[in-house]
Amino acid sequence: MSLSVRHLLSVKDLTKKDVDLILKTAENLQEISKRPVKKVPALRGKTIPLCFFEPSTRTRASFEIAAKRLSADPIQISSFGNSLSKGESLLDTVKNLEAMDPDVLVIRHPHSGMPHLMAKEVSCPVINAGDGINEHPTQALLDLMTILQVKKKIQGLHVAIIGDILNSRVARSNIILLTKMGAKVHVAGPASMIPAGVEQYGVQVVNDIREVIPKADVIMMLRIQRERESASLFPSLREYARFFGLNKNNMKEAKKDVVIMHPGPVNRGVEIAPEVADGPHSIILDQVTNGVAVRMALLYLMCGEGERKIKY
């Protein structure tokens, strides 16, 4: 089997069969990361530029580890210390990379839509590793995999996404993907952080998190994105933590089997208390672990290996 899409730019483009294929492939490849020697020759000889034009730690490292575990050659490209800092346009940089015959291009960019533009200009597949406030499709896929591993289903689950919905590409991709797969999604946060018209995606908007915590099977907390001036959308961090933070007090109202997620990096004591982030309901580090597996699956499938039987 192979994906129905050439690029991964948005989770909107994925069919349910695509999602099933990606997650099944990720599950098959996940075992590699548990071996003493975490490397197989599946993508030997493949070249994968990782073009991160915005700061990133876990996503960049996750893609690099994923590529190396499949024996591909990842090439790190950033905004600093390259031709962009000398005045070259992004398009020229990418066209020059294309001339070196990469197999997949991974792009993160602070401006929404940039991976879509690049996909029109290059001949190889493009993976959106996060564009502005638009989407973060690989994060949504790894979140879906993590929920499935714990809850064994998506259909009918109540998922509460709490925090800066307005500036969160993670929230946008998760809303689209989770509703597509049958979950009932609730979004909660300060009114200034809820985008107008978000209901069109089939979600329920809640301004008081106390209304949504008791019914949620999954609570996904979002980071205050200070680099996108989120902090100007509420009076103070102390007030935000009081009314919209997840802590041991409001967790008393949660279901006994609720799971807590966070895409990271975590602002401890603001959107989530340390004892909750590290508590028994937290599956935050499982998200990180599954990120490598999902990105291995995507690189494998988008390098055209999906029609072959996995050999490792």
Side-chain angles (χ1 to χ4, degrees):
M1 293 180 65
S2 59
L3 296 174
S4 68
V5 293
R6 176 166 173 72
H7 309 286
L8 178 59
L9 302 175
S10 166
V11 289
K12 294 177 186 172
D13 303 329
L14 297 175
T15 66
K16 288 186 178 180
K17 286 186 177 179
D18 289 330
V19 175
D20 289 341
L21 175 60
I22 294 166
L23 297 193
K24 184 177 180 181
T25 306
E27 288 174 0
N28 288 334
L29 294 171
Q30 195 165 37
E31 179 268 336
I32 296 168
S33 296
K34 299 175 182 175
R35 296 180 181 181
V37 179
K38 304 174 179 63
K39 202 175 189 72
V40 296
L43 295 186
R44 186 166 51 196
K46 303 292 185 182
T47 304
I48 302 173
L50 306 179
C51 306
F52 278 69
F53 302 116
E54 187 182 53
S56 171
T57 301
R58 73 201 68 215
T59 303
R60 179 200 286 257
S62 185
F63 268 110
E64 183 172 0
I65 290 170
K68 288 183 174 178
R69 288 193 177 162
L70 296 175
S71 296
D73 299 314
I75 309 297
Q76 295 283 357
I77 307 291
S78 72
S79 301
F80 307 101
N82 62 30
S83 296
L84 286 170
S85 63
K86 299 175 183 175
E88 185 177 69
S89 71
L90 174 61
L91 181 58
D92 281 339
T93 298
V94 173
K95 294 292 283 186
N96 276 278
L97 287 172
E98 186 198 18
M100 300 176 199
D101 295 320
D103 294 283
V104 175
L105 209 57
V106 178
I107 297 180
R108 166 173 285 203
H109 200 279
H111 295 158
S112 300
M114 197 57 75
H116 301 70
L117 175 62
M118 294 300 106
K120 295 177 181 176
E121 300 293 337
V122 300
S123 57
C124 68
V126 172
I127 296 178
N128 179 1
D131 62 323
I133 62 170
N134 182 39
E135 277 212 44
H136 198 341
T138 62
Q139 179 71 42
L141 287 163
L142 73 89
D143 287 342
L144 188 74
M145 179 177 179
T146 307
I147 295 171
L148 271 171
Q149 286 179 341
V150 178
K151 296 294 184 181
K152 311 302 180 189
K153 66 173 186 177
I154 298 296
Q155 184 73 39
L157 283 182
H158 287 268
V159 180
I161 304 177
I162 299 175
D164 182 6
I165 310 298
L166 180 65
N167 287 308
S168 176
R169 55 194 175 207
V170 172
R172 193 161 286 101
S173 285
N174 265 299
I175 288 169
I176 297 169
L177 186 60
L178 287 167
T179 54
K180 177 183 290 191
M181 303 305 287
K184 298 176 181 177
V185 179
H186 313 260
V187 296
S192 58
M193 289 180 160
I194 304 295
V198 70
E199 296 90 345
Q200 67 178 305
Y201 293 103
V203 304
Q204 181 182 354
V205 177
V206 181
N207 292 121
D208 189 340
I209 68 172
R210 293 173 298 181
E211 295 179 22
V212 72
I213 287 176
K215 67 175 69 172
D217 301 293
V218 177
I219 299 176
M220 187 180 296
M221 302 304 294
L222 299 177
R223 179 175 66 91
I224 299 298
Q225 301 193 36
R226 302 183 191 188
E227 74 277 20
R228 301 189 202 283
E229 300 183 349
S230 294
S232 65
L233 298 176
F234 54 86
S236 68
L237 291 176
R238 183 176 180 181
E239 184 168 316
Y240 183 91
R242 178 182 176 190
F243 290 102
F244 299 101
L246 193 62
N247 53 55
K248 62 181 181 182
N249 289 327
N250 52 31
M251 274 294 290
K252 293 177 182 175
E253 305 300 321
K255 292 182 178 180
K256 291 183 179 178
D257 62 346
V258 69
V259 293
I260 308 301
M261 306 179 77
H262 193 301
V266 174
N267 291 314
R268 289 173 177 261
V270 182
E271 68 262 10
I272 188 168
E275 59 268 27
V276 178
D278 301 327
H281 298 282
S282 174
I283 54 173
I284 293 172
L285 292 180
D286 296 308
Q287 293 174 262
V288 179
T289 299
N290 287 335
V292 174
V294 164
R295 286 158 183 142
M296 287 171 73
L298 287 167
L299 295 177
Y300 181 84
L301 292 167
M302 298 186 77
C303 278
E305 304 301 307
E307 294 182 359
R308 303 180 189 178
K309 184 178 180 181
I310 298 176
K311 295 180 179 179
Y312 50 85

